[in-house]
Amino acid sequence: AQVTISHGNSRVSASLPSGESIEILLYGATVLSWKDASGDEKLWLSEGAKLDGTKAVRGGIPLVFPVFGTAPDHEATSKLPQHGFARNSRWEFLGKSTSESSSNSVKLDFGLSSENLDEAARQLWPYKFGLLYSVTLDRESLKTALVITNEGDVPFEFQTLLHTYFRIKDISSVQIAGLEDSPYVDKVDAAKAKTQSSDPVAFSGETDRVYTPAKGPSHPVVISEGGAAKFSIVRDNLDDVVVWNPWIDKAAGMGDFEPKDGWKNMVCAEAGAVSSWQKLEKGDAFEGAQTIYLK
Ligand code: BG6
C-alpha cells in the first residue's frame, strides 16, 4: 500500500495506507483537516468557515504572517489586515516527498512569495520575501514548518504564528500544561503583563493570552481533557504560545463561527514568534516549526 495524494484546483489531500489523512486548502495553505487512522478529526473547523477565498478560514491551521493581530505602532506593517496576508493569499503546491523505505509519512510543500501576492497586498507590504511551508503527516504526529526568506535588498521585520484550532469535547474539562510560571500578556485584561501560576491553564471565560513559556520551545505544551493528555506540541524556534478561546459573546459576534456554541469544542494553542519582532537581513532565512503528537 502507498501514500495517496490528490491535488485539485483548490485543495491537496494525502492519506497514509494505515488511514491517517490531512487536507490543505491552497487559499492560505490552511490545514483544514487532520484525521487519525480511525477517521477521528483532530482539528476544529467552523461550519460557517468561508473556504472560497473570500475570508481567512475560521478553523484548522491558518498561518499568521507578517503581523500578529494589528500593529498600528509598527510602521512597516501598520496598514496590513489583522494577522497579515499569508492566510488570505493563494499558495502554490510545490509537491510531495515520501520516504521510499516507509509509507508511514508524507510531506507536502507549499510556497508563497511576493510575486504571487495580489497588487493590493504588495502595496501594503512592499518587501520581497519567500515562504516555504511544509506539512508532514506521520502516524502519530503532524508537523508544520515555515521557512521565511528575505529575497530583497533591505531588511524587514515580521511576526509569525501557526494558529492551530484543536478539536476537543468540552472546554470546561480542558487544561493546558507547560505554561506554568510563565510570563504572559492578557489581551482580555487591557494587555496587562501577568505570570501564570504553577498550575496548568484552565478555562472559565474568554481567554486570549500570549505566553512566552519559561521552559523554552522544546518543552512540550500539553492539552489534556478530563485529565488525559490529547495533544503534545513541541516547538522549534518559536518562543511564544497564544492561548485563545472566544467563549460565548465573542463567538456570537463572529459571523463565520458556527455552530454558535462551537467554542465548547475548540481551543487554540498557537505556536509563534509574536511577542517581539524578528528581523531578517537581506538573504537571510528564519525557520520555525511545531510538531503536534497525538497522545
Ligand atoms: C488570536 C488572537 O490569535 O486570534 C485573538 O490572539 C483573535 O485576539 C484570534 O481574536 C482570532 O483572530 P481572527 O482575525 O481570526 O478573528
Side-chain angles (χ1 to χ4, degrees), residues 55 58 68 82-83 87 161 163 165 187 208 210 242 244 254 270:
K55 191 181 191 307
R58 177 70 58 205
F68 169 62
Q82 159 116 335
H83 291 341
R87 64 178 187 164
L161 180 81
H163 197 307
Y165 288 74
K187 292 173 76 178
D208 192 357
V210 182
V242 178
W244 181 58
M254 285 184 270
E270 315 161 18

Side-chain angles (χ1 to χ4, degrees), residues 194-217:
K194 299 184 180 175
T195 303
Q196 177 68 22
S197 69
S198 52
D199 294 327
V201 179
F203 299 84
S204 56
E206 184 190 351
T207 305
D208 192 357
R209 302 177 180 175
V210 182
Y211 283 91
T212 304
K215 286 177 174 157

Side-chain angles (χ1 to χ4, degrees), residues 46-229:
S46 166
E47 290 169 14
K50 294 271 180 282
L51 303 177
D52 61 358
T54 55
K55 191 181 191 307
V57 176
R58 177 70 58 205
I61 314 181
L63 260 172
V64 170
F65 175 87
V67 61
F68 169 62
T70 55
D73 300 334
H74 186 262
E75 206 190 324
T77 51
S78 59
K79 297 196 212 89
L80 288 175
Q82 159 116 335
H83 291 341
F85 51 73
R87 64 178 187 164
N88 303 98
S89 299
R90 190 184 156 97
W91 290 57
E92 219 178 312
F93 177 46
L94 301 176
K96 58 154 206 280
S97 16
T98 46
S99 115
E100 289 186 9
S101 56
S102 125
S103 52
N104 287 337
S105 163
V106 59
K107 175 164 152 306
L108 305 175
D109 287 335
F110 302 87
L112 179 73
S113 70
S114 9
E115 280 93 73
N116 309 132
L117 281 192
D118 63 35
E119 193 50 37
R122 225 180 317 183
Q123 295 271 319
L124 298 178
W125 203 72
Y127 302 98
K128 284 205 166 158
F129 67 90
L131 300 181
L132 172 64
Y133 187 50
S134 303
V135 180
T136 306
L137 174 67
D138 275 339
R139 295 212 54 192
E140 307 284 317
S141 69
L142 180 72
K143 179 176 183 185
T144 68
L146 185 65
V147 180
I148 302 164
T149 311
N150 183 347
E151 291 172 356
D153 292 326
V154 291
F156 64 71
E157 289 188 316
F158 70 91
Q159 298 173 327
T160 189
L161 180 81
L162 306 166
H163 197 307
T164 311
Y165 288 74
F166 291 91
R167 176 175 287 276
I168 44 133
K169 291 199 177 73
D170 177 7
I171 188 73
S172 67
S173 59
V174 165
Q175 291 196 327
I176 302 186
L179 305 172
E180 296 80 1
D181 307 311
S182 300
Y184 68 94
V185 171
D186 191 345
K187 292 173 76 178
V188 177
D189 186 6
K192 259 192 212 145
K194 299 184 180 175
T195 303
Q196 177 68 22
S197 69
S198 52
D199 294 327
V201 179
F203 299 84
S204 56
E206 184 190 351
T207 305
D208 192 357
R209 302 177 180 175
V210 182
Y211 283 91
T212 304
K215 286 177 174 157
S218 59
H219 185 84
V221 168
V222 178
I223 302 176
S224 64
E225 183 151 25

